[in-house]
């Protein structure tokens, strides 16, 4: 009888412990862990460093060049050269602030394959609806060809790109960034989550509970101050995207007040 009670208690613990860990807000390093020596936003080094500090995921931005090479970079222009209307060879000779070349998506994912952190893939908006869908096709194919479907979660401001990713990768986590759709509208469009600016969530406080009821994940960006990190975690954000991942991890791992 004692043995049976022991096993029931053990089983209960095994169920409860992962559930409580899962309920805690998780941290995503915005453009990798870049606010540290030798790193740079969206560099392969920043991805590697994000993995080293055991964050849930490392976010990065992807544009497609005119000759259809996906590259990892945030702004529309790299050192004044417009990425989406230039060929890859026009930008490859220049370096990021940490002396890395601008990473191709292929090189970035090759590094990601060796790591554990989730790859939070932001597909940037391109010039036309058709080009947005084409960008989605190029990117989803590369992720699938490299066997990274399970490790990759997509985010985008662009509805055409988002719905194309959902169509091509129906099992993927796909969240919408633009803040103009309600949780119900996102669910209807097939998204699995919202990934909104914290001000959008402050203006629409009901969206926390509405998203949860619909089974959508909640991610907020870019949450960089201790008070705001605490506020968003307390309101029930599943994920916080931040430029200060170490500090954010420390804050969300503290017990609630
Ligand atoms: Mg981004």
């Amino acid at each position: 009888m004692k043995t049976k009670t022991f096993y029931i208690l053990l089983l209960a613990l095994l169920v409860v412990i992962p559930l409580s860990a899962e309920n805690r807000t998780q941290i995503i390093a915005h453009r990798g862990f870049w606010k540290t020596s030798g790193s740079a936003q969206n560099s392969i080094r920043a991805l590697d460093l994000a993995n080293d500090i055991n964050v849930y995921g490392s976010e990065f931005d992807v544009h497609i060049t005119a000759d259809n090479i996906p590259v990892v970079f945030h702004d529309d222009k790299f050192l004044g050269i417009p990425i989406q209307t230039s060929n890859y060879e026009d930008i490859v000779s220049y370096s990021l602030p940490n002396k890395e070349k601008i990473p191709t998506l292929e090189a970035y994912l090759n590094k990601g394959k060796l790591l554990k952190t989730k790859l939070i893939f932001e597909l940037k908006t391109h010039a036309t609806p058709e080009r947005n869908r084409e960008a989605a096709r190029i990117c989803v194919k590369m992720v699938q060809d490299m066997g990274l479907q399970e490790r990759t979660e997509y985010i985008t401001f662009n509805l055409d790109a988002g719905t194309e990713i959902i169509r091509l990768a129906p099992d993927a986590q796909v969240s919408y960034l633009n803040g103009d759709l309600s949780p119900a509208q996102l669910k209807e469009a097939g998204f699995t989550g919202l990934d909104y600016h914290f001000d959008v969530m402050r203006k629409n406080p009901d969206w926390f509970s509405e998203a949860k009821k619909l089974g959508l994940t909640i991610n907020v960006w870019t949450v960089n101050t201790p008070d705001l990190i605490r506020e968003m975690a307390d309101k029930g954000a599943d994920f916080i995207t931040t430029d200060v991942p170490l500090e954010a991890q420390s804050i969300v791992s503290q017990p609630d007040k």
Side-chain angles (χ1 to χ4, degrees):
M1 198 59 186
K2 271 184 179 171
T3 314
K4 195 178 169 190
T5 308
F6 171 77
Y7 280 113
I8 288 170
L9 278 172
L10 185 66
L11 187 65
L13 273 174
L14 287 173
V15 170
V16 167
I17 289 169
L19 276 180
S20 57
E22 213 170 273
N23 287 338
R24 187 182 296 156
T25 304
Q26 309 235 45
I27 301 304
I28 294 170
H30 182 232
R31 306 179 194 170
F33 183 24
W34 59 272
K35 277 194 167 185
T36 186
S37 170
S39 192
Q41 294 186 15
N42 279 315
S43 63
I44 289 177
R45 179 74 180 138
L47 169 64
D48 205 10
L49 289 167
N51 186 73
D52 285 350
I53 59 169
N54 292 314
V55 283
Y56 172 84
S58 188
E59 188 262 0
F60 58 102
D61 305 286
V62 175
H63 293 272
I64 313 282
T65 61
D67 53 344
N68 285 342
I69 307 292
V71 294
V72 179
F73 195 72
H74 179 267
D75 296 349
D76 293 340
K77 293 180 178 177
F78 179 46
L79 299 173
I81 306 165
I83 296 174
Q84 295 182 10
T85 52
S86 301
N87 288 334
Y88 177 63
E89 66 175 20
D90 299 326
I91 54 176
V92 69
S93 51
Y94 302 99
S95 298
L96 300 175
N98 71 340
K99 311 286 188 240
E100 272 181 47
K101 297 298 179 193
I102 187 169
T104 61
L105 177 62
E106 189 177 10
Y108 197 90
L109 295 180
N110 267 322
K111 180 66 183 186
K113 276 177 90 164
L114 307 174
L115 308 174
K116 291 181 304 185
T117 195
K118 293 269 190 189
L119 303 166
I120 312 300
F121 188 134
E122 181 181 345
L123 180 54
K124 304 304 287 186
T125 297
H126 289 71
T128 64
E130 178 45 39
R131 187 60 174 158
N132 282 307
R133 288 189 285 271
E134 190 175 28
R137 287 194 288 275
I138 291 167
C139 292
V140 168
K141 182 174 187 313
M142 187 172 283
V143 167
Q144 291 176 343
D145 287 350
M146 294 179 77
L148 281 165
Q149 302 94 310
E150 304 291 321
R151 295 262 317 287
T152 304
E153 301 182 8
Y154 297 94
I155 57 176
T156 186
F157 281 91
N158 185 268
L159 208 46
D160 294 310
T163 50
E164 185 69 350
I165 294 169
I166 292 164
R167 188 181 75 79
L168 295 166
D171 295 331
Q173 299 291 311
V174 188
S175 293
Y176 183 64
L177 292 161
N178 206 36
D180 58 325
L181 296 180
S182 69
Q185 288 172 311
L186 290 178
K187 184 76 178 176
E188 176 70 24
F191 286 93
T192 59
L194 60 82
D195 189 346
Y196 285 172
H197 190 270
F198 60 84
D199 263 345
V200 171
M201 296 308 284
R202 277 177 163 171
K203 283 177 191 146
N204 299 278
D206 293 346
W207 285 3
F208 282 97
S209 59
E210 284 176 31
K212 284 204 189 294
K213 256 183 249 157
L214 292 165
L216 297 171
T217 56
I218 301 165
N219 190 342
V220 282
W221 53 272
T222 304
V223 179
N224 288 341
T225 62
D227 286 353
L228 195 52
I229 292 165
R230 187 75 263 164
E231 177 190 329
M232 290 295 133
D234 288 348
K235 284 181 172 168
D238 300 299
F239 304 100
I240 282 175
T241 300
T242 180
D243 292 316
V244 291
L246 277 176
E247 291 89 330
Q249 275 181 318
S250 156
I251 291 166
V252 301
S253 65
Q254 290 161 12
D256 291 344
K257 281 174 276 185

